[in-house]
Amino acid sequence: QAVLPGIAAGETVFCIGMSEPDSGSDLAATRTRAVPVDGGWRVTGTKLWTTGAHHADYMILFCRTSGTPADRQAGTSQLLVDLRTTEGITIRPIIDLAGQHHFNEVHFEDAFLPATALIGTEGAGWEQVMSELAFERSGPERFLSSMQLLIELVGVLQDAPGETAQLALGRLTAHLITLRRLSRGVAVMLEAGENPGTHAAIVKDLGATFEQELPDIARS
């Protein structure tokens, strides 16, 4: 009642607090900790590469509510963080090579969150995150992000494409069609209530490879 209407209306902006310093993509190594206190939680730690945190109203925070990083997936939970009103949060910009500000470092210093901030079940954070990532990883944005470059490449080559260019365009088109079918397949699994975690990870990996190869092929 408090949050979903704003999301549906396009008025509430979210960011996702997952990655941390020195842990790469190893989410299970999270060190950000939420300690139970009277009436809620006290959060201390740092999240890195948080896209859009400087614009966001809320963060979905993946953190440790029990145990230690050695416990890996066990003892992790998700908390809803009101970035507009919560004290003890510092958002620092990370400027990329193009001089643009998309990423951020978000630091929690004994930030208090109410008990109602818990999303889902305490200790079930890993299972929740994996199910959420199945939606994110399998989406078409990974390979559609470079679509305009492919369109421009076709436009440049269409008058007199050499054999090498034709082979490159054919290969790229075949990859694009395959990725689209794979992405739709994951969507069908999600719609059926199945767990497509592995399938979604494959789509993301293949999509990322396509996204990286396309500029190199176009440059050639």
Side-chain angles (χ1 to χ4, degrees):
Q1 292 175 341
V3 178
L4 293 184
I7 296 175
E11 299 169 350
T12 301
V13 178
F14 266 75
C15 64
I16 303 174
M18 287 188 180
S19 300
E20 295 192 3
D22 305 319
S23 61
S25 59
D26 184 8
L27 295 182
T30 184
R31 292 174 293 183
T32 298
R33 176 172 292 277
V35 178
V37 296
D38 186 31
W41 312 83
R42 287 286 180 184
V43 181
T44 300
T46 301
K47 291 297 178 179
L48 201 60
W49 312 119
T50 308
T51 304
H54 55 306
H55 296 306
D57 302 298
Y58 291 93
M59 171 190 283
I60 301 177
L61 174 67
F62 179 71
C63 60
R64 189 165 298 283
T65 50
S66 64
T68 69
D71 296 321
R72 304 295 291 164
Q73 294 92 339
T76 58
S77 303
Q78 288 182 298
L79 300 176
L80 182 67
V81 182
D82 187 337
L83 294 177
R84 302 294 186 186
T85 63
T86 304
E87 297 181 356
I89 299 177
T90 303
I91 300 175
R92 303 186 182 98
I94 298 175
I95 306 302
D96 65 18
L97 288 174
Q100 297 180 326
H101 177 195
H102 301 292
F103 303 121
N104 300 272
E105 175 186 289
V106 183
H107 185 66
F108 295 84
E109 185 63 46
D110 202 29
F112 176 77
L113 301 179
T116 54
L118 180 65
I119 300 175
T121 304
E122 181 182 350
W126 184 258
E127 290 76 13
Q128 292 173 192
V129 162
M130 289 299 102
S131 65
E132 293 157 10
L133 284 176
F135 287 90
E136 183 267 331
R137 286 173 170 166
S138 61
E141 67 278 354
R142 178 63 64 184
F143 52 88
L144 289 182
S145 63
S146 303
M147 175 59 75
Q148 191 58 41
L149 175 57
L150 181 58
I151 293 172
E152 295 296 331
L153 181 60
V154 171
V156 168
L157 296 174
Q158 63 182 358
D159 292 333
E163 182 179 358
T164 301
Q166 292 183 54
L167 289 172
L169 287 175
R171 177 169 174 263
L172 289 171
T173 303
H175 283 191
L176 181 66
I177 293 171
T178 302
L179 282 167
R180 181 176 182 273
R181 291 183 64 88
L182 289 171
S183 179
R184 286 172 58 88
V186 174
V188 170
M189 294 179 69
L190 288 167
E191 184 70 20
E194 301 175 27
N195 180 10
T198 301
H199 305 74
I202 291 172
V203 174
K204 177 166 184 175
D205 184 49
L206 292 174
T209 301
F210 178 83
E211 188 177 43
Q212 294 163 3
E213 286 182 344
L214 179 52
D216 286 337
I217 294 172
R219 191 178 294 114
S220 298

